[in-house]
């Protein structure tokens, strides 16, 4: 009986030894695989970031596209890259400030066809709304230009539409009014006060527009301004 028990014990010992070796080998393999993955992650982090910036560079150019769908897709992808990289949009786009400012020079925008102007104004609206670009004197010039376009449409609608595609003209007006709305929210009612007063007057005039979209933009612009600022009586009387 004792002999049988000893034999069983030796058998158990022999059986458990390979199991321990297998466990150790598995642990070592797992550790090795984890280390390899960690190294691979470190190696690929930089190239991935570089690819993000390469894609962003292309998307920045598409923000001024004359095609509305292209511009919207570009904005969506910029937000997606921001989410994937865990960096805010403003931080991601810092490297493109110089190229964006060059791209949005008023001299260039004045001489492009109407359908292309729409893309430029829409790009400016997005960039200042997301605080990607600060409101500089150049940006203020673009906002003034947008106001001038709206004023011409209101004062001489027939002359301004002559020889132009009506759809392109409406899109241009919408993009200009949308820029003015964002500008009214972003610029403090101190300086330049004249520009902001002119924007408010334009919004009042667009309240009786035949375009429902235009009326909504104008009402939205006035509402957001009045919620934060007191509308001067003389400006209100003049606008009405």
């Amino acid at each position: 009986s004792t002999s049988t028990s000893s034999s069983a014990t030796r058998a158990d010992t022999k059986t458990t030894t390979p199991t321990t070796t297998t466990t150790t080998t598995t642990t070592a393999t797992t550790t090795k695989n984890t280390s390899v993955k960690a190294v691979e992650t470190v190696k690929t982090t930089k190239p991935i970031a570089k690819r993000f910036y390469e894609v962003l560079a292309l998307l920045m150019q598409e923000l001024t596209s004359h095609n509305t769908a292209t511009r919207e897709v570009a904005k969506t992808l910029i937000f997606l890259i921001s989410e994937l990289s865990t960096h805010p949009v403003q931080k991601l786009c810092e490297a493109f400030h110089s190229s964006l400012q060059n791209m949005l020079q008023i001299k260039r925008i004045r001489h492009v066809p109407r359908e292309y102007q729409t893309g430029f104004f829409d790009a400016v609206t997005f960039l200042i709304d997301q605080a990607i670009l600060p409101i500089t004197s150049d940006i203020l010039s673009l906002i003034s230009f947008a106001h001038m376009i709206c004023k011409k449409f209101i004062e001489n609608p027939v002359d301004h539409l002559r020889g132009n595609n009506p759809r392109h003209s409406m899109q241009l007006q919408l993009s200009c009014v949308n820029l003015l709305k964002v500008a009214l929210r972003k610029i403090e009612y101190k300086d330049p006060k004249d520009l902001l007063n002119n924007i408010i007057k334009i919004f009042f005039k667009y309240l009786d527009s035949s375009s429902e979209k235009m009326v909504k933009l104008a009402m939205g612009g006035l509402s957001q301004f009045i919620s934060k600022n007191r509308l001067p009586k003389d400006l209100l009387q003049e606008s009405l």
Side-chain angles (χ1 to χ4, degrees), residues 62-72 115-116 119:
E62 295 302 332
L63 286 176
T64 61
S65 172
H66 69 283
N67 186 289
T68 304
T70 301
R71 295 197 303 270
E72 293 306 313
E115 60 268 30
Y116 289 92

Side-chain angles (χ1 to χ4, degrees), residues 7-209:
S7 299
T9 302
R10 284 195 298 272
D12 288 343
T13 303
K14 288 179 181 179
T15 304
T16 55
T17 301
T19 305
T20 304
T21 304
T22 304
T23 304
T24 305
T25 304
T26 304
T27 304
T29 303
T30 303
T31 305
K32 183 178 179 181
N33 288 339
T34 304
S35 300
V36 169
K37 287 180 181 178
V39 171
E40 288 176 349
T41 301
V42 172
K43 284 182 178 179
T44 56
T45 298
K46 196 169 183 180
I48 287 175
K50 183 180 179 182
R51 285 196 290 272
F52 275 156
Y53 278 101
E54 288 173 350
V55 174
L56 276 171
L58 294 173
L59 295 176
M60 291 297 158
Q61 296 178 11
E62 295 302 332
L63 286 176
T64 61
S65 172
H66 69 283
N67 186 289
T68 304
T70 301
R71 295 197 303 270
E72 293 306 313
V73 169
K75 294 173 192 176
T76 301
L77 290 176
I78 289 171
F79 287 126
L80 180 60
I81 291 175
S82 173
E83 183 181 345
L84 292 173
S85 64
T86 66
H87 290 299
V89 173
Q90 299 92 327
K91 185 71 176 176
L92 279 176
C93 300
E94 278 181 355
F96 304 100
H97 277 193
S98 179
S99 60
L100 286 170
Q101 287 170 348
N102 290 333
M103 183 173 64
L104 297 173
Q105 289 181 356
I106 191 167
K107 292 180 181 179
R108 177 179 298 180
I109 299 175
R110 283 182 185 276
H111 296 95
V112 298
R114 182 164 293 184
E115 60 268 30
Y116 289 92
Q117 286 182 343
T118 299
F120 279 102
F121 285 123
D122 191 55
V124 175
T125 303
F126 173 75
L127 293 170
I128 66 172
D129 190 33
Q130 296 299 319
I132 295 171
L133 283 183
I135 299 179
T136 61
S137 58
D138 289 335
I139 296 295
L140 286 175
S141 296
L142 288 171
I143 294 170
S144 297
F145 183 41
H147 168 266
M148 183 188 72
I149 290 174
C150 291
K151 188 177 180 182
K152 285 184 177 180
F153 269 117
I154 291 173
E155 293 177 350
N156 301 295
V158 177
D159 291 342
H160 210 53
L161 286 171
R162 186 177 289 117
N164 293 297
N165 186 313
R167 184 173 63 86
H168 291 162
S169 296
M170 179 55 69
Q171 288 177 342
L172 178 58
Q173 281 190 86
L174 287 170
S175 66
C176 287
V177 173
N178 197 33
L179 172 57
L180 297 181
K181 178 185 174 183
V182 172
L184 201 60
R185 174 163 50 86
K186 289 289 184 176
I187 303 174
E188 297 215 0
Y189 191 59
K190 294 178 182 179
D191 186 47
K193 204 167 185 177
D194 289 342
L195 174 59
L196 297 181
N197 285 344
N198 287 334
I199 292 174
I200 292 170
K201 293 176 187 177
I202 284 291
F203 283 162
F204 272 105
K205 290 180 179 179
Y206 269 120
L207 289 178
D208 63 353
S209 171

